[in-house]
Amino acid sequence: MGRLPDHETYWGQTVMTPVPGPMGAALELLAASIDAGATLIAIGPYTNLALLEAATPGVLNAASVVAMG
């Protein structure tokens, strides 16, 4: 107890390369995730959630959101 986990065991060596895309695509993905029943986990600034709500008023009313910050 108290030691950091062995990240290789749990996460492997998969490297993800960010692929910038249009903001509209990100908002569509968030909306589709909500429709699919996903829980949104928000960390740091909540700008994407604000933009999503502005683009689709009321969408976050039905969403399960966990905000950490």
Side-chain angles (χ1 to χ4, degrees):
M1 291 298 296
R3 293 186 359 216
L4 292 174
D6 176 17
H7 290 285
E8 248 183 71
T9 299
Y10 294 101
W11 306 109
Q13 293 296 320
T14 302
V15 176
M16 301 292 293
T17 303
V19 180
M23 178 55 75
L27 298 179
E28 289 173 11
L29 181 58
L30 280 172
S33 296
I34 291 169
D35 289 343
T39 297
L40 301 182
I41 309 296
I43 60 172
Y46 308 124
T47 308
N48 288 351
L49 295 181
L51 291 171
L52 176 64
E53 186 65 26
T56 314
V59 70
L60 293 176
N61 289 339
S64 178
V65 179
V66 176
M68 308 165 102

